[in-house]
Amino acid sequence: MHEHPLQRFFKSLRERPVFAWERYQMRDVLVIDHPLCQAVFSRQGAQLLHFQPRGQKPWLWCAAKWPHVGAIRGGVPVCWPWYGRHPSENAWPSHGWARLLDWKLLDSSTGDDGVRLHWQLQLCDWQVDLHAHLGERMELRLSTEHQDDMPCQLSQALHAYWRIGDVSEIALSGLEGAQGYDQLNREVCQQEGELRVDGGCQRVFQHDGELQLKDHAWQRELCIDTGESADTVVWHPGARPLLGVTWDEISEFVCVEAAAGGTDSLHLAPGEKAHLSLQAWAAA
């Protein structure tokens, strides 16, 4: 079982400030050490890379080695302003520009219920804001405002990599009866019973709201809520290799994502906003 690579920041016995910038693998990262939780954000992508409530195992997985440039695999990448491949420009990066660019941290605050952060990215005629509330729970809210005078198309996702003991020993409940599309087999599907992903999975479910990630190896259950007006995407590569990720690491995550507009892009009128959220908490 590998230690989360960003837990290294919390091994020192010296007292840390709640917020501290560090340099790690050629990226600026914001290390958060609060009585309720520990977390790490990357300035690139406003990407939450590590989250761990006190007394618990990490909730998010992150690759041990990052590329010198490009996207960081792990945590919760913000896929925006498109999710997956661009619908017309094949040379443009998968999952959009947001996870490749540096965001501005407009505000950070601490309280008895945890920490709150507000990140923002301005790109052409779009403004996108990410609000995070971290404590005993994890809450991310993404808001896009279209500022041009012409309509536009948008798709987006909060592409969460959840840390688990072993992918062969997990099950997802709460999707029973949900209609979806199996992208590996290229066919529509309907979930019957609990979903197990050992062997590979890439399914998009017409499902919003809560589901449960049952992790038998770690004897814990996380409740994950993909909010309203979003699809729930479940992904694991199975036996397919991932560039820069070891075989042992691949068994230690599963992706359960909130996504909107992936199959049918959202159409935004001038001044219109689009919202996406992802929440998680430990089952009692």
Side-chain angles (χ1 to χ4, degrees):
M1 188 62 60
H2 295 86
E3 181 181 74
H4 194 293
L6 296 171
Q7 286 179 302
R8 65 190 298 273
F9 290 115
F10 306 103
K11 287 186 172 181
S12 173
L13 296 178
R14 66 182 176 87
E15 186 174 345
R16 297 184 59 96
V18 174
F19 302 104
W21 286 101
E22 302 277 0
R23 189 74 175 166
Y24 182 70
Q25 295 203 45
M26 302 178 68
R27 308 302 204 287
D28 291 330
V29 295
L30 181 63
V31 179
I32 300 168
D33 196 353
H34 184 273
L36 292 183
C37 67
Q38 296 171 333
V40 178
F41 270 95
S42 168
R43 190 194 304 275
Q44 177 184 314
Q47 190 164 333
L48 178 59
L49 298 171
H50 173 60
F51 175 66
Q52 183 173 2
R54 295 288 180 179
Q56 299 187 36
K57 290 181 171 65
W59 286 20
L60 299 174
W61 174 90
C62 184
K65 294 184 178 180
W66 304 349
H68 292 312
V69 294
I72 303 169
R73 187 179 292 278
V76 188
V78 177
C79 302
W80 179 95
W82 63 87
Y83 173 59
R85 294 182 179 179
H86 190 276
S88 60
E89 300 291 342
N90 292 332
W92 287 9
S94 293
H95 298 317
W97 303 111
R99 64 182 187 152
L100 304 174
L101 300 175
D102 284 353
W103 292 49
K104 291 182 179 179
L105 180 60
L106 296 186
D107 186 52
S108 59
S109 61
T110 180
D112 292 340
D113 61 347
V115 297
R116 297 176 186 270
L117 301 99
H118 177 192
W119 297 87
Q120 187 177 89
L121 178 68
Q122 193 83 33
L123 182 64
C124 299
D125 297 307
W126 281 323
Q127 177 181 299
V128 58
D129 294 85
L130 179 70
H131 292 268
H133 182 197
L134 307 175
E136 295 178 338
R137 301 162 56 109
M138 183 186 101
E139 179 180 354
L140 300 174
R141 293 182 291 110
L142 192 67
S143 177
T144 300
E145 181 177 358
H146 176 43
Q147 299 174 331
D148 196 8
D149 56 2
M150 296 290 290
C152 73
Q153 291 183 308
L154 172 75
S155 61
Q156 56 187 345
L158 293 169
H159 189 327
Y161 290 74
W162 301 99
R163 183 74 159 87
I164 53 176
D166 191 314
V167 71
S168 66
E169 297 185 49
I170 66 161
L172 291 166
S173 62
L175 292 168
E176 293 84 354
Q179 302 284 337
Y181 186 76
D182 186 332
Q183 295 180 326
L184 293 183
N185 296 314
R186 298 183 180 180
E187 62 184 17
V188 296
C189 62
Q190 179 172 323
Q191 184 59 36
E192 303 294 340
E194 293 182 331
L195 174 61
R196 299 182 182 273
V197 302
D198 189 26
C201 181
Q202 191 170 352
R203 298 183 186 179
V204 182
F205 290 101
Q206 298 167 13
H207 168 273
D208 55 36
E210 183 182 337
L211 57 85
Q212 294 77 41
L213 171 56
K214 299 178 180 179
D215 186 345
H216 299 295
W218 274 5
Q219 297 183 334
R220 78 171 177 190
E221 181 177 321
L222 294 180
C223 298
I224 301 169
D225 191 336
T226 55
E228 299 179 356
S229 69
D231 290 331
T232 297
V233 180
V234 181
W235 176 74
H236 188 270
R240 291 173 295 162
L242 292 178
L243 184 65
V245 181
T246 67
W247 286 110
D248 288 341
E249 287 181 289
I250 287 176
S251 70
E252 296 175 346
F253 75 81
V254 64
C255 288
V256 181
E257 317 161 27
T263 54
D264 185 15
S265 294
L266 304 172
H267 295 268
L268 296 186
E272 189 175 3
K273 291 186 177 182
H275 303 280
L276 193 66
S277 68
L278 181 69
Q279 298 184 62
W281 60 94

